[in-house]
Structure formats: C-alpha cells, structure tokens
Amino acid sequence: MKRLLFLQVTLLLLLALSDDVKGNGENDGQCKCGKDLALKPRPHSVSILEFGAVGDGKTLNTIAFQNAVFYLRSFADKGGAQLYVPPGRWLTGSFNLTSHLTLFLERNAVILGTQDSFEWQVIDPLPSYGRGIELPGGRHRSLINGYKLKDVVITGDNGTIDGQGSIWWEWYHSQSLNYSRPHLVELESSTDVVISNLTFLNAPAWSIHPVYCSNVHIQNITVYTPSNSPGTNGIVPDSSSDICIEDCYVSVGGDAISLKSGWDEYGIAYGKPTSNVYISRVYLQTSFGSALAFGSEMSGGISNVCAEQLHIRDSFTGIELKTARGRGGFVKDVGVSDVEMENIHVALGITGQCSDHPDDHFDPNAYPDISGITLKNVIGANISVAGELKGIPEDPFTSICLLNISLSMTSELSTSWVCSDVLGFSRSVSPEPCSDLQLPYSNSSSVCFSLLSPAGHAEAF
Ligand SMILES: *[C@@H]1O[C@H](CO)[C@@H](O)[C@H](O)[C@H]1NC(C)=O
Ligand SMILES: *[C@@H]1O[C@H](CO)[C@@H](O)[C@H](O)[C@H]1NC(C)=O
Ligand SMILES: *[C@@H]1O[C@H](CO)[C@@H](O)[C@H](O)[C@H]1NC(C)=O
Ligand SMILES: *[C@@H]1O[C@H](CO)[C@@H](O)[C@H](O)[C@H]1NC(C)=O
Ligand SMILES: *[C@@H]1O[C@H](CO)[C@@H](O)[C@H](O)[C@H]1NC(C)=O
Ligand SMILES: *[C@@H]1O[C@H](CO)[C@@H](O)[C@H](O)[C@H]1NC(C)=O
Ligand SMILES: *[C@@H]1O[C@H](CO)[C@@H](O)[C@H](O)[C@H]1NC(C)=O
Ligand SMILES: *[C@@H]1O[C@H](CO)[C@@H](O)[C@H](O)[C@H]1NC(C)=O
C-alpha cells in the first residue's frame, strides 16, 4: 500500500516535471532531424571525364577534380551543379568542393586517395585544437574538403570513397609521420551539407569530419576501416550544430560516432559547442574504441544530443563519455534510448581521466561540467562490464540517470558496475548499479533530463 502510494506520488511528480520540461521550450522537437531531406536535382551536370580524368586506378586525377570544381563554381548562382563520377577507379590527391555543388558517385565509381603523402598538402591546425591531434604543428589536408561552403551534397548510387589509408596506418605505427594524418572528408565552417548513399572506406584517420558546421545531414552511408587501423574514428561532428545521422552502418578501428568540440585551452577559447544532434537507426561496431563517444575533446561543450535505436555489436565500449581536468566545457542534456548491445566489453563508460593534453599550457582548474546524462531502454547480451564510471575527485559527475536497462552478463564473475566520483539515479536497472547511482528516483526531477520523450518521464517501470 505504501509502495503504491509512493508510486502514485512519484508519477504525479514526474507528470508535473514533464510539463516543466515541455514548457521550457528548450528541447521541444529536438529529438528529430531539423530539416526535411528533399534534394533538388541540379540544373547542370558535368562528368569528371570532361576534365580529362582517367578511371584506371593509376592515373592521378587531382587536377581534373580541381579544374572541374573550379569550373562548376560559375554555376553557384544558377541553381548549382552536379559533378558526376562514372564507374571507374579515380585516383586523386586532395581537392576542394564548392558551394551549391553535388558530387555524385555512380554505382561502381570509386574515388581513391593517393598513397603519395605529398598530394595531401599540409595546412594549419584547427583553432579549437591548436595543433594537429597526433603531432604538434600542422596537419595533412583531407581528401575531400569544403571551406565556408553552403549547400553541398556528397551522394551517389552507393559509389565508394576509399582513402587507401593502410600506408598512413603504417606511418603512424612506425612513427614516420611528419604531420597529423588526414581525414577522408572534412567540411569546415559550412552550412546545409548532405552526405548520403555512399560507402566510405579506409580513411587515413577519421572518415567524416564536419567542423564548425551547421545543418549537416548524414544518411544511409556505410563507413568501414579495419578493426586494427589506429584511431580511425567514423563520423565525427565537431563544434557543429544541427546534425542528423540516420540509417548508417559504421565499423571502424576507433570510435564509430564521436562527438567533439575542441581541445583544452584552445577549445575553451574557441568556445563553439556541438549541439542539437540527432542520431537514429545506426549500426555500430568497433573492436578497440567506443561505438558512441562523447569527447574526449569537448572543451567547447556538447549539448542537446538525442540518440535512439542504436545497434551496437562486437565492440569494446558501447557508449562512452570521455573527459579530463583541463578540458573545461560541458556535456549536458544528452539522452540515449532504445539501445541493443551484444558482445560488448564495457556497456557504459564514463571517465574523467583522459590524460592527453595539447601542451603544458592547459588550465588544470578547467573542470568539465557533466550533467543531465540519461540512458534508457537498453537491452544487452554478453556484456563483460555493465558500467565503468569514474568522475574527477574534485569535480564529481552528479547527474547521471539510468532507466530500464537490462544487461545479461558474460559470466557470473563479470564485474557489473565500477563507480567513483559519480552520483546518479537509476530505475529498473539490472544488474543492480553501484549505490552511487541509486539516489532516490523521486529526487531526479532537476536531473533526469530526457530529450527523448518528455512524457516518458512518467513511465512507471
Ligand atoms: C582549397 O581550399 C583551401 C581553403 O580555402 C585553399 O587554401 C586552397 O588553395 C584550395 N585549393 C585549391 C586547389 O583550390
Ligand atoms: C541506401 O543506399 C542504398 C545504396 O547505397 C540504396 O539502394 C537504398 O535505396 C538507400 N536507402 C535509402 C533509405 O535511401
Ligand atoms: C554498397 O557498396 C559496398 C562496397 O562496394 C558493398 O559492400 C555494399 O554491399 C553495397 N550496398 C548496396 C546496398 O548495394
Ligand atoms: C617526412 O619528411 C621526410 C623528409 O622530408 C620525407 O622523406 C618523408 O617522406 C615524410 N614522411 C611522410 C609520411 O610524408
Ligand atoms: C538515396 O538513394 C535512394 C535510392 O536511390 C533515393 O530514393 C534517396 O532519395 C537517396 N537519398 C539521399 C538523401 O540521397
Ligand atoms: C562475448 O563477447 C566477447 C567480446 O566481449 C566475445 O569475445 C565472445 O565471443 C562473446 N561470446 C559469445 C558467446 O558470443
Ligand atoms: C524497456 O526497454 C526495453 C528494451 O529497449 C523496451 O522494449 C521496453 O518497452 C522498455 N520498457 C518501458 C516500460 O519503456
Ligand atoms: C531529496 O529531496 C528532498 C526534498 O527536496 C530533500 O530534502 C532530500 O535531501 C533529497 N535527498 C537527496 C539524497 O538529495
């Protein structure tokens, strides 16, 4: 009887709360893609063949791509244009895109990144990182680049962009890189970007890197790098807002989807968060990294992230938040729901102990603010560690919320939860979380934020 009453009171409380959440307007309608994806056909189209390109996998076509894009710039104010890449193997070094351009790869069209590092020029580091991620100083330009563009589409009929990154992984392992490795596609300070219907293979480092961008729609792509390729993150929205990632299959050596926003004092100074991110229906795999990662570079902040319908398999970590002293910034208002995990070492990881810093000038008193992290409706099979949650002693992470999570463990000897310097709420979580995560749920009102379905707070488990 007492229990029932408690439940009712909680329900009322939560209903009141859900009104609050609805009422503040901040998260209304965030849990979906911003804009509709109606791709208008371009009024003009030219084939890369018209620029002398040869699709034999041997001829270097960098100049052809550069010339084609240069030519198509003149159509920007005429509704834009399409650069058509027919079947063939089109070897190239780095090239730029332009505004109001569609790069279209026909089925069996493969753009191949050359393995000559001099065809990947060296450029300045990003201001929010202050240096290359792997080595101080500059970094190699990505294979396909956009800078300050508007209305760019990279699409096709399942064509392929293959970075042939193996040589870069070898240089990385043998420490013969002079600069940080390039990515496959990088769009910087651009808006209205669509990346769809393609396969991305063997990126030297990351596959898709929108940085300082807004309104980026990534749909129905496959991203693959071998599981032993070092640090090959898949899709990396970085200091970017209004990002939508749907129906993607990502299997890589690093983190599959990784949200970032700059590194320590550089990221803090640049101050550009990653916000309003929607992720849905994704299949993620990574043997050594995290399937969905926040950070560790998050110094510009990460907020309003809604991820649902995640399918995570054969991975080291399922969902992980990584940060450190010196990062500053924040990760707040994150809701992850409807997750299926199988064969995972650590289902949920939170760490405040990432030790890498860009240089010695980071501010050790710049603590990250971690709040409003909600994980709900998770079902997992063959999990070795349910959760490994380690905050920062001087800066405990105090608003973690776990709801309706059921993980079946690899063996009875499995460690279920390891917690330090974290506090949170949980409800219907098995195996039973550590006591730090068992604050009375009725107190969760200001904490258990969910972008997912505000009314969902009222669910009785
Ligand atoms: C590509 O864009 C970058 C940045 O705007 C510029 O510095 C570079 O010259 C461009 N390269 C070509 C070949 O147009
Ligand atoms: C996804 O892409 C494949 C080919 O890459 C295509 O056959 C399929 O129709 C696309 N699906 C959607 C929903 O766009
Ligand atoms: C797309 O292309 C990749 C690589 O060529 C291939 O493995 C995959 O089966 C293709 N998908 C579809 C739907 O055609
Ligand atoms: C690094 O620089 C040296 C000296 O210029 C050069 O021989 C080598 O090819 C460079 N390595 C890479 C991976 O570009
Ligand atoms: C992807 O391809 C499918 C099948 O061709 C097409 O219907 C859809 O519009 C394409 N979507 C995007 C976003 O390119
Ligand atoms: C359980 O997951 C581990 C990886 O964490 C894997 O090595 C093992 O094969 C899986 N067991 C089964 C029965 O699938
Ligand atoms: C709990 O999570 C499971 C797995 O995602 C889902 O099927 C079920 O509907 C959830 N229960 C409630 C009460 O939301
Ligand atoms: C729970 O909330 C009540 C009323 O707001 C407060 O008195 C109590 O200290 C809170 N308990 C915890 C553990 O925060």
Side-chain angles (χ1 to χ4, degrees):
M1 192 57 207
K2 220 172 172 182
R3 206 185 139 83
L4 242 174
L5 192 71
F6 169 77
L7 262 177
Q8 272 172 8
V9 170
T10 316
L11 231 117
L12 279 172
L13 239 160
L14 293 173
L15 276 169
L17 158 70
S18 66
D19 280 338
D20 259 345
V21 171
K22 256 189 189 147
N24 70 15
E26 193 184 310
N27 56 325
D28 275 3
Q30 291 296 352
C31 199
K32 57 179 166 58
C33 290
K35 272 189 197 167
D36 220 21
L37 250 196
L39 294 183
K40 276 180 288 175
R42 304 289 188 189
H44 308 276
S45 177
V46 294
S47 164
I48 190 67
L49 284 173
E50 293 172 44
F51 296 85
V54 180
D56 60 2
K58 297 193 187 94
T59 308
L60 193 63
N61 295 298
T62 316
I63 300 296
F65 278 103
Q66 288 175 352
N67 286 346
V69 170
F70 183 80
Y71 171 74
L72 293 175
R73 278 164 63 173
S74 57
F75 294 92
D77 55 0
K78 303 181 184 72
Q82 167 174 279
L83 175 56
Y84 175 82
V85 182
R89 295 170 65 77
W90 310 93
L91 187 71
T92 180
S94 298
F95 65 93
N96 291 338
L97 301 178
T98 189
S99 291
H100 307 289
L101 177 79
T102 298
L103 177 65
F104 187 97
L105 279 75
E106 192 53 90
R107 184 168 290 263
N108 298 319
V110 184
I111 291 181
L112 289 170
T114 170
Q115 295 194 319
D116 175 359
S117 67
F118 292 94
E119 288 285 318
W120 307 63
Q121 296 87 353
V122 175
I123 53 171
D124 287 340
L126 291 166
S128 54
Y129 286 78
R131 49 165 278 184
I133 291 203
E134 292 163 340
L135 291 167
R139 58 200 191 107
H140 286 279
R141 184 195 295 286
S142 303
L143 185 65
I144 299 181
N145 299 275
Y147 180 66
K148 290 194 173 165
L149 304 186
K150 191 172 166 39
D151 175 23
V152 186
V153 181
I154 303 175
T155 189
D157 183 9
N158 196 28
T160 299
I161 299 176
D162 182 343
Q164 303 201 93
S166 55
I167 188 97
W168 295 94
W169 311 329
E170 276 166 35
W171 287 329
Y172 175 85
H173 283 305
S174 63
Q175 303 190 340
S176 25
L177 289 169
N178 301 314
Y179 301 97
S180 296
R181 286 176 290 164
H183 308 310
L184 204 48
V185 175
E186 180 171 272
L187 291 147
E188 183 181 339
S189 305
S190 298
T191 60
D192 302 337
V193 175
V194 175
I195 300 177
S196 61
N197 288 354
L198 292 176
T199 296
F200 295 84
L201 302 178
N202 304 315
W206 304 344
S207 293
I208 313 277
H209 185 215
V211 58
Y212 321 140
C213 287
S214 64
N215 196 25
V216 178
H217 208 127
I218 299 173
Q219 196 186 47
N220 194 34
I221 64 167
T222 297
V223 176
Y224 174 82
T225 59
S227 67
N228 60 357
S229 55
T232 54
N233 293 349
I235 302 174
V236 190
D238 194 351
S239 291
S240 291
S241 58
D242 300 300
I243 306 291
C244 178
I245 302 171
E246 289 180 307
D247 304 299
C248 294
Y249 173 87
V250 184
S251 173
V252 291
D255 296 338
I257 295 181
S258 164
L259 308 184
K260 297 183 184 286
S261 63
W263 203 4
D264 288 7
E265 70 272 27
Y266 302 101
I268 294 170
Y270 200 76
K272 193 159 187 326
T274 282
S275 61
N276 298 344
V277 179
Y278 175 70
I279 299 168
S280 179
R281 297 183 306 271
V282 290
Y283 295 78
L284 309 176
Q285 192 276 324
T286 168
S287 304
F288 301 105
S290 308
L292 174 60
F294 298 82
S296 79
E297 302 89 345
M298 39 59 72
S299 303
I302 298 175
S303 67
N304 278 17
V305 178
C306 166
E308 53 186 17
Q309 299 185 59
L310 312 183
H311 306 266
I312 303 175
R313 255 168 224 285
D314 307 324
S315 294
F316 189 76
T317 306
I319 297 161
E320 187 173 29
L321 193 162
K322 304 184 265 193
T323 183
R325 263 182 96 149
R327 290 283 191 276
F330 52 83
V331 180
K332 62 180 190 190
D333 303 338
V334 171
V336 180
S337 88
D338 302 307
V339 183
E340 243 176 49
M341 297 196 196
E342 197 174 338
N343 308 337
I344 309 291
H345 186 63
V346 181
L348 173 64
I350 296 188
T351 176
Q353 325 288 335
C354 287
S355 56
D356 51 334
H357 299 286
D359 52 39
D360 294 339
H361 303 303
F362 70 93
D363 172 5
N365 295 319
Y367 290 106
D369 174 7
I370 309 300
S371 62
I373 312 294
T374 299
L375 179 60
K376 75 173 193 180
N377 300 353
V378 181
I379 187 152
N382 186 24
I383 309 290
S384 315
V385 180
E388 202 170 79
L389 288 69
K390 295 182 175 165
I392 300 175
E394 302 82 359
D395 168 39
F397 304 158
T398 55
S399 56
I400 294 155
C401 188
L402 306 176
L403 309 172
N404 183 28
I405 296 178
S406 166
L407 305 172
S408 72
M409 308 300 290
T410 304
S411 77
E412 294 195 357
L413 298 174
S414 305
T415 329
S416 41
W417 298 84
V418 182
C419 304
S420 59
D421 308 305
V422 293
L423 274 182
F425 305 88
S426 52
R427 184 148 191 166
S428 300
V429 175
S430 96
E432 186 175 327
C434 34
S435 55
D436 312 319
L437 296 176
Q438 299 197 30
L439 294 182
Y441 188 71
S442 54
N443 281 39
S444 69
S445 56
S446 60
V447 171
C448 281
F449 184 96
S450 174
L451 293 161
L452 301 163
S453 51
H457 278 289
E459 283 164 23
F461 292 103

